[in-house]
Amino acid sequence: MTPATTPAPTDTRPLRAAILGYGVSGRYFHGAFLGVDPSYVVALISTSNADRAEQARADHPGVVVVEDPRSVAEHASDLDLAIVCTPPTSHVELAQLALRAGLDVVVDKPFAPSSAEGAELIAEAESLGRRVTVFQNRRYDADFLTLRGLINNGALGNVHTLESRFEWWKPSGERSWKASTTVGQGGGILFDLGPHLIDQAVQLFGPVTGLSASLRSVRTDRAPPSAGAEAPENVAHLMLTHSGGVESHLSMSSLAAFAGPRFQVAGTAGAWRTFGKDPQEAALRAGKLPDAPGFGGESPEQAGELSHGVEPARTAPGIGDYGRFYRELAWALHSGGPVPVDPWDAVDVLRLIEAAHRTAHPTHD
């Protein structure tokens, strides 16, 4: 069911949320949207960083700030929901802790370091009568929503090829926890970006029946001393064949000084491409709140180009809406309807990531 067909909830009190981790994800991708949504109140934030703790109190006046995310269990009687946006090595442990304390749970990507652990987490939530979902926010990107609309209205005809990229330029390598997290712990660019790109491809074109992969750990002169043969991949290319015959070519790189199109999609009636990233994160980092007029909207220059074999034309600027995830989640938790992202979708993505690691045998330059 969708919110339009699910019976209206009778309990509409604000959900008391705990944000576990207050880095970029906790502050911008979760806290900013919860802070302007009347369906929620941010009641607890965990961070051991003094500057982030100060920022948390400024962003959410009256919030309880704790250093240890495991403290969520001690405060469970004052909470309804825990949002796990710590490094992936702690996702399963903290989600289990919150579920066992009687809370519903949102987990950031990657859902778990392995598909088996993700499946066990879903089973535990079901056994406890709790809800668990995964924050696949890229389903609400402006460009992705535009692309889905073009496919649905037939503007591209029968799509045969999707090219999708997340690329940037970080020749000095990753910092903080990403620099030391192994593949077995959910590290590397495929675990970092693959949950977004694979999920989008599957949402558009359905189950995957074939996969090939190239994963590489490319060293640079400025790479940290710990980098080397055992370092997780920083360049990844996947080719997925979907059950309907569409091929998805997915590229992820932290060593792309020239980034290719974010999307380039070819069909029997035309093609569409776009460059750059969804504008929501940049707006949040610039101090704009999600309830500001025009938030999430692309500029005309950011909009994609549609070609039917002649001079391409700009499509209408898209509007991204990460806040939709939390609006749908509030409805689900109050009404008993489906959560916005089925956690089994995330498990399926993890299985594809594992298959890529098994078949690629990463090379090291």
Side-chain angles (χ1 to χ4, degrees):
M1 284 189 207
T2 65
T5 58
T6 304
T10 56
D11 181 4
T12 57
R13 63 185 174 82
L15 295 160
R16 302 164 296 174
I19 302 175
L20 308 184
Y22 208 64
V24 170
S25 179
R27 181 182 179 191
Y28 294 119
F29 289 104
H30 298 280
F33 293 94
L34 294 170
V36 300
D37 190 329
S39 296
Y40 298 89
V41 58
V42 178
L44 182 141
I45 291 173
S46 73
T47 178
S48 59
N49 181 291
D51 291 337
R52 291 177 181 175
E54 183 178 352
Q55 186 65 58
R57 294 185 180 97
D59 293 341
H60 305 281
V63 70
V64 173
V65 178
V66 297
E67 291 190 6
D68 188 348
R70 298 170 186 83
S71 300
V72 68
E74 301 168 15
H75 295 267
S77 61
D78 299 318
L79 298 168
D80 302 294
L81 176 69
I83 299 152
V84 181
C85 37
T86 52
T89 53
S90 61
H91 282 186
V92 171
E93 176 194 359
L94 293 176
Q96 287 176 330
L97 188 69
L99 290 168
R100 293 168 186 174
L103 304 179
D104 297 313
V105 175
V106 174
V107 185
D108 224 332
K109 61 82 194 168
F111 182 37
S114 71
S115 60
E117 290 171 285
E120 291 170 2
L121 194 56
I122 296 170
E124 180 158 6
E126 291 175 348
S127 71
L128 293 169
R130 306 313 314 171
R131 314 295 298 281
V132 62
T133 186
V134 185
F135 189 62
Q136 294 288 170
N137 62 299
R138 297 295 177 177
R139 294 186 184 186
Y140 309 96
D141 276 357
D143 48 18
F144 177 75
L145 294 173
T146 297
L147 174 56
R148 171 167 264 174
L150 292 171
I151 293 170
N152 290 344
N153 69 24
L156 303 175
N158 295 321
V159 173
H160 53 81
T161 306
L162 165 72
E163 296 178 38
S164 177
R165 298 174 178 84
F166 272 144
E167 298 173 325
W168 46 69
W169 181 237
K170 290 184 179 179
S172 58
E174 296 288 357
R175 292 179 293 180
S176 68
W177 59 266
K178 289 187 179 182
S180 58
T181 304
T182 66
V183 169
Q185 298 170 323
I189 203 165
L190 186 55
F191 267 111
D192 188 21
L193 302 179
H196 291 317
L197 298 190
I198 297 171
D199 181 74
Q200 287 183 331
V202 172
Q203 288 298 302
L204 291 174
F205 303 117
V208 173
T209 56
L211 176 150
S212 62
S214 169
L215 309 180
R216 305 173 67 197
S217 179
V218 180
R219 296 201 61 175
T220 70
D221 291 341
R222 286 182 282 173
S226 60
E230 300 304 318
E233 74 282 340
N234 54 6
V235 178
H237 301 282
L238 304 186
M239 188 183 82
L240 311 179
T241 302
H242 298 270
S243 56
V246 178
E247 283 189 358
S248 291
H249 299 258
L250 312 180
S251 298
M252 294 144 267
S253 176
S254 62
L255 291 173
F258 277 123
R262 171 65 187 91
F263 285 113
Q264 184 156 307
V265 191
T268 57
W272 183 77
R273 69 178 180 180
T274 186
F275 289 85
K277 297 181 179 66
D278 176 273
Q280 294 175 85
E281 180 179 355
L284 291 166
R285 286 176 177 266
K288 196 171 186 179
L289 293 177
D291 58 353
F295 181 87
E298 294 176 324
S299 67
E301 295 74 25
Q302 291 173 309
E305 294 180 297
L306 179 64
S307 173
H308 293 112
V310 292
E311 188 69 21
R314 292 280 183 183
T315 49
I319 301 175
D321 186 9
Y322 296 158
R324 177 177 159 188
F325 174 90
Y326 277 111
R327 295 194 300 274
E328 292 179 354
L329 179 62
W331 188 279
L333 297 184
H334 282 310
S335 69
V339 291
V341 175
D342 185 337
W344 285 111
D345 291 353
V347 171
D348 289 341
V349 168
L350 289 170
R351 288 172 177 152
L352 292 170
I353 289 173
E354 289 165 346
H357 279 292
R358 285 195 304 270
T359 60
H361 303 294
T363 60
H364 303 274
D365 293 346

